């Protein structure tokens, strides 16, 4: 959406006032704007590269994480069952 002439004129007045009042802040804002523009261009290139990557690589990575999680859960459950069964066995022994 394009700015109206009044809006552009007001923005230019604000910019001139800012540069006159605090040139250091104006320079920092300009530097920030330049970095954002560079990063936006790089972000588009990275997104295009990701689209070209094989989707199976991401699936494999998540599958490994899920399998590891399930293995960890199974190990914890087995450990708890062993602890419970040992405790019941010790409790059943006559003293």
């Amino acid at each position: 959406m394009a700015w109206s002439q009044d809006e552009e004129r007001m923005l230019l007045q604000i910019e001139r006032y800012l540069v006159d009042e605090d040139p250091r802040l104006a320079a920092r804002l300009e530097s920030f704007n330049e970095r954002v523009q560079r990063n936006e261009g790089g972000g588009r290139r990275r997104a295009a590269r990701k689209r070209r990557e094989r989707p199976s690589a991401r699936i494999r990575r998540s599958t490994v994480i899920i399998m590891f999680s399930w293995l960890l859960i199974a190990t914890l459950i087995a450990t708890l069952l062993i602890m419970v069964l040992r405790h019941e066995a010790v409790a059943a022994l006559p003293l």
Side-chain angles (χ1 to χ4, degrees), residues 38-93:
R38 278 195 309 262
N39 286 341
E40 283 177 351
R44 288 187 199 117
R45 286 188 294 257
R46 278 191 296 266
R49 226 178 298 129
K50 280 187 177 183
R51 280 192 297 264
R52 284 183 296 219
E53 284 181 2
R54 293 184 333 216
S56 61
R58 195 175 343 139
I59 291 171
R60 285 189 207 132
R61 203 173 309 135
S62 63
T63 302
V64 169
I65 292 170
I66 291 169
M67 293 302 292
F68 180 76
S69 300
W70 277 108
L71 180 65
L72 182 63
I73 290 168
T75 305
L76 290 173
I77 290 172
T79 304
L80 287 172
L81 283 173
I82 291 170
M83 290 174 64
V84 167
L85 292 174
R86 278 190 184 167
H87 178 31
E88 288 177 1
V90 170
L93 290 175

Side-chain angles (χ1 to χ4, degrees), residues 26-40:
R28 290 175 76 186
L29 289 173
E30 182 63 32
S31 171
F32 175 76
N33 287 337
E34 289 172 2
R35 282 190 311 233
V36 168
Q37 288 174 352
R38 278 195 309 262
N39 286 341
E40 283 177 351

